[in-house]
Amino acid sequence: MERLTTRTVDAGGVKIGGDNPIVIQSMTNTDTKDVESTVGQIKRLVAAGCELVRVAVPDKESARALKRIRALSPVPLVADIHFDYNLALAALDAGIDKLRINPGTIGAKALKAVVTAAVSQQVPVRIGVNSGSIHRDYRHLSRIDALVKSARYYCEAIESMGCKDLVVSLKSSSVLETYRATEQFALGNDYPIHLGVTEAGTVRSSTIKSSIGIGALLLQGIGDTLRVSVTGPPESEIPIAIGILRALGLRPGVEIISCPTCGRSGYDVAKAAQEVEAHLSRVDLPLKIAVMGCVVNGPGEGRHADFGIAFGPSEGVLFQKGEVVQKMPNGELPAALLKLIDIETRRSEV
Ligand code: SF4
């Protein structure tokens, strides 16, 4: 998949844009003043696969806590600022790696002060445009046009202040608005694009909305970093984000091919597929693994898989690249599959 050419910005060593891998982000929902809880959540996010974490800075105490949080964080941090530009300046002083501002909520003079400080400290800025930050001149337009024109306006304004290290997001809770606005904006410039459908709901709702909205843009080569927004623990955002990137071949990892089952299947295929998926979720090798419901069609339907299993009435088969390796009782197949994958992947590493 060919990606749109974008400039590269550096957020504390994490490169966003250019040919760099698409960066997975999330945001803590702890009280930022509570350093221990916030750092604990950052570490859980990182363990799940998050590469850049945003932290809300709603008040002075939170800004003061940033220095300690940053010192304890294993990844670079983004300070999320609304309204009070002094908090942005304090976050920069605390050593934050990137600023996310909503220029619509910060006055022009204050914006200049923030941008000047960010430039002097070589800290990139994300311009987050959403329905709450439409520039007043564009409020009469359709939402999509208003988002696009507002983003262009803010980019020009901030660039004219000397800041080139910009990342831009155009978000709506509507998948279609997010998609159309981001597409229109991204096709006309080289700013790295942050993707996300905002206020996307619970895990179930967000998985659907984010997969469609973010996925459709990624398919067009648009997007340099992303956040899946979930109402719930932010840790639950990361497997969805990884799943979207893996499904599009943008991040190596195991792809499970499991059949929907039908009247030919005599085994609990869903349980077996979940067991295999859970064991291989952190493996970052580009493997296709088949878990199929019957020996009649399973090995054939799963022949493009690197490894697979197919269940029979009582006995099934373990196969590799469509060739049967061994027959064995159904209950032994998942463990045998995982063992074979382990042996073969170790062998290929030698
Ligand atoms: S692999 Fe077998 S059980 Fe699964 S859907 Fe196909 S025919 Fe049905």
Side-chain angles (χ1 to χ4, degrees):
M1 193 181 310
E2 207 172 318
R3 281 170 65 192
L4 240 59
T5 306
T6 54
R7 64 182 80 170
T8 301
V9 307
D10 187 328
V14 170
K15 302 246 188 329
I16 302 170
D19 293 332
N20 296 291
I22 295 164
V23 175
I24 294 175
Q25 300 196 36
S26 184
M27 183 170 180
T28 54
N29 65 357
T30 52
D31 179 351
T32 306
K33 295 190 286 295
D34 182 344
V35 173
E36 195 180 330
S37 299
T38 303
V39 171
Q41 190 168 62
I42 291 170
K43 287 183 176 171
R44 288 196 299 282
L45 285 166
V46 173
C50 185
E51 294 148 331
L52 192 58
V53 180
R54 184 156 46 119
V55 179
V57 188
D59 48 38
K60 282 181 191 160
E61 291 76 27
S62 301
R64 270 197 285 276
L66 279 181
K67 197 167 188 171
R68 283 174 59 215
I69 294 170
R70 179 63 193 94
L72 296 166
S73 172
V75 292
L77 299 180
V78 185
D80 189 75
I81 310 288
H82 288 269
F83 299 103
D84 187 351
Y85 81 105
N86 287 305
L87 297 175
L89 299 177
L92 288 167
D93 284 346
I96 208 75
D97 303 281
K98 185 174 167 221
L99 276 181
R100 186 270 183 183
I101 55 170
N102 182 333
T105 66
I106 299 179
K109 208 169 149 195
L111 186 61
K112 171 96 175 149
V114 172
V115 171
T116 303
V119 170
S120 76
Q121 295 183 39
Q122 296 179 305
V123 170
V125 175
R126 169 156 73 96
I127 301 174
V129 182
N130 54 38
S131 55
S133 57
I134 302 293
H135 188 271
R136 62 179 179 280
D137 291 354
Y138 306 126
R139 286 190 190 135
H140 62 289
L141 299 175
S142 73
R143 183 85 63 91
I144 293 166
D145 286 346
L147 287 168
V148 174
K149 285 187 187 292
S150 297
R152 286 187 187 139
Y153 173 88
Y154 294 132
C155 285
E156 272 177 33
I158 293 176
E159 278 233 37
S160 73
M161 296 170 190
C163 179
K164 301 244 175 280
D165 291 341
L166 285 175
V167 179
V168 186
S169 63
L170 297 88
K171 293 188 183 181
S172 163
S173 57
S174 153
V175 170
L176 207 58
E177 284 177 5
T178 301
Y179 171 76
R180 293 247 162 90
T182 306
E183 181 196 36
Q184 272 184 37
F185 178 83
L187 293 176
N189 60 67
D190 73 341
Y191 294 114
I193 301 293
H194 171 115
L195 300 178
V197 177
T198 195
E199 294 137 16
T202 58
V203 167
R204 181 173 174 275
S205 166
S206 179
T207 302
I208 296 167
K209 285 177 141 188
S210 302
S211 299
I212 297 170
I214 295 173
L217 288 160
L218 289 171
L219 276 168
Q220 289 206 63
I222 297 170
D224 301 285
T225 178
L226 63 90
R227 182 203 177 184
V228 168
S229 157
V230 166
T231 307
E235 294 90 327
S236 64
E237 298 174 356
I238 310 304
I240 307 170
I242 293 173
I244 291 171
L245 293 176
R246 281 184 177 173
L248 295 174
L250 291 165
R251 184 165 288 226
V254 174
E255 184 183 347
I256 305 290
I257 301 160
S258 57
C259 79
T261 74
C262 67
R264 294 181 190 85
S265 174
Y267 194 76
D268 191 344
V269 182
K271 187 169 162 242
Q274 279 163 14
E275 183 185 337
V276 171
E277 188 173 59
H279 271 86
L280 300 174
S281 65
R282 297 307 307 273
V283 174
D284 58 6
L285 295 167
L287 294 174
K288 283 189 168 61
I289 309 296
V291 180
M292 311 300 275
C294 75
V295 286
V296 182
N297 290 328
E301 289 182 18
R303 67 183 172 280
H304 299 299
D306 297 290
F307 305 96
I309 48 178
F311 298 98
S314 60
E315 272 197 334
V317 294
L318 173 66
F319 58 91
Q320 186 173 356
K321 303 265 186 207
E323 300 293 326
V324 173
V325 174
Q326 204 180 341
K327 269 189 181 179
M328 64 181 71
N330 284 333
E332 296 175 17
L333 281 169
L337 171 67
L338 294 169
K339 192 171 169 194
L340 177 65
I341 294 167
D342 189 44
I343 292 168
E344 291 294 321
T345 51
R346 277 173 201 262
R347 187 178 292 161
S348 66
E349 280 170 10
V350 175

